[in-house]
Amino acid sequence: MSIKKLTVALLFIAFASSVFGEEGKLSSFSKAKKELRKIYSNHQITFYASCKYNYKDKNNMIDRSSCGYVPRNEYTKKGKINKRARRIEWEHVIPAQNFGRQFKCWREGDSLCVKKDGKPYKGRKCCSKVDKKFKIMQADLHNLVPAIGELNADRSNFRYSLIENEPRFYGKNVDFEVDFKKRVAEPKPSIRGDIARIYFYFEKEYDLKISNKDKKLFEVWNRIDPVDKWELEKNEKVYKIQKNRNEFVK
């Protein structure tokens, strides 16, 4: 092999090792988002609101007429168009903070997590830089779904639960509620099982701790909302990329 070809091969190996982690899992969130666009190319429907979307329409990806979505805030406090109400974002069903808190880099930072001005930082930014396992968890395709940006922002890192009286902030046809005071979000019945099975997968795959209260709720959701066709299809598509399946989707 010539020196030129050897150099190219070594560069490719270095790139692959930086993007893929153990057993072929992705370790790059940006790479994961690119793969998700392909995975959802024939199923461009938002997770929480069931809105059709067109990822290529950068000015307004969301087809509001397909779902009855009405933004809670059409405009920002500064009077500008709320761009997050017009685009989809890749939502972590299990928020990064929920699994990130188990990492030292999230809680305390790292010697490599220092800004140019000398100030240290921690949290997601630090772990995304220094911890391989965190990067793999953050980029796990099983845990990522398309969501309207505004709903993604409002859900934040809130727990999933049931909300009494169910105020409809996003239009009467969008069955997704948020209680900002109690910091909980209630998803529509048709995706509750999906959510439960993602939590069970993370519990087994990464030893995620789930409270007894949440575990009981998810067990109920898993029973009343069985696996559907799209879950099975996505599971196989993810397997082809990161070489593992969610064994609770079957």
Side-chain angles (χ1 to χ4, degrees):
M1 182 182 291
S2 67
I3 294 177
K4 183 177 180 179
K5 288 183 178 180
L6 178 61
T7 301
V8 171
L10 290 173
L11 287 173
F12 176 78
I13 293 171
F15 169 76
S17 63
S18 68
V19 172
F20 293 91
E22 299 173 2
E23 300 176 354
K25 290 182 182 178
L26 295 169
S27 59
S28 165
F29 185 43
S30 60
K31 175 65 175 175
K33 289 187 283 189
K34 291 179 181 179
E35 294 295 343
L36 285 160
R37 294 175 199 172
K38 301 174 188 176
I39 289 172
Y40 280 87
S41 62
N42 67 332
H43 190 83
Q44 295 192 89
I45 300 174
T46 64
F47 189 63
Y48 296 128
S50 296
C51 298
K52 294 180 180 178
Y53 68 87
N54 182 353
Y55 201 85
K56 295 181 180 180
D57 188 348
K58 300 302 180 183
N59 293 322
N60 192 4
M61 299 180 188
I62 313 302
D63 180 0
R64 297 182 183 180
S65 65
S66 68
C67 57
Y69 168 57
V70 179
R72 185 171 68 88
N73 292 306
E74 187 74 77
Y75 298 93
T76 66
K77 292 180 179 179
K78 294 183 178 180
K80 296 182 179 180
I81 291 175
N82 181 7
K83 293 182 179 180
R84 298 189 75 173
R86 292 170 173 256
R87 72 188 186 206
I88 69 114
E89 297 173 353
W90 297 107
E91 156 85 322
H92 287 88
V93 173
I94 302 170
Q97 183 176 0
N98 285 29
F99 56 79
R101 288 175 295 193
Q102 68 181 296
F103 293 92
K104 184 178 179 180
C105 52
W106 187 287
R107 302 187 308 271
E108 303 175 19
D110 187 271
S111 60
L112 296 176
C113 297
V114 180
K115 298 179 182 179
K116 292 181 179 180
D117 60 6
K119 293 182 178 180
Y121 59 89
K122 53 187 178 180
R124 183 172 180 175
K125 183 178 179 181
C126 181
C127 287
S128 296
K129 180 177 182 179
V130 304
D131 197 287
K132 185 176 182 179
K133 183 179 179 181
F134 175 84
K135 288 190 282 187
I136 290 173
M137 294 174 75
Q138 180 180 225
D140 194 308
L141 299 170
H142 289 297
N143 186 39
L144 290 162
V145 295
I148 298 172
E150 182 182 49
L151 275 62
N152 181 22
D154 286 355
R155 187 265 165 134
S156 183
N157 62 347
F158 297 174
R159 291 175 48 251
Y160 292 110
S161 187
L162 300 177
I163 300 174
E164 295 182 5
N165 301 322
E166 299 192 346
R168 296 288 175 94
F169 292 136
Y170 313 99
K172 64 180 181 179
N173 293 324
V174 175
D175 190 3
F176 179 75
E177 293 79 43
V178 178
D179 187 324
F180 295 98
K181 290 184 178 180
K182 293 183 178 179
R183 298 178 61 83
V184 296
E186 179 181 303
K188 60 189 177 181
S190 62
I191 61 170
R192 292 175 185 173
D194 307 47
I195 291 168
R197 289 181 280 275
I198 291 169
Y199 269 86
F200 295 157
Y201 162 75
F202 253 58
E203 180 183 42
K204 183 168 185 179
E205 188 75 11
Y206 302 112
D207 197 29
L208 177 76
K209 305 303 180 185
I210 305 176
S211 69
N212 291 332
K213 181 179 179 180
D214 285 346
K215 190 71 175 287
K216 290 178 180 179
L217 178 66
F218 293 150
E219 287 172 349
V220 172
W221 285 5
N222 182 46
R223 289 197 301 271
I224 64 176
D225 176 32
V227 175
D228 59 30
K229 182 179 178 181
W230 170 246
E231 274 186 274
L232 291 169
E233 184 177 340
K234 181 187 175 182
N235 204 24
E236 291 306 308
K237 286 185 174 184
V238 171
Y239 172 73
K240 290 179 181 179
I241 298 169
Q242 67 179 41
K243 308 306 178 187
N244 79 325
R245 295 182 177 89
N246 180 345
E247 66 178 68
F248 298 95
V249 176
K250 56 186 177 182

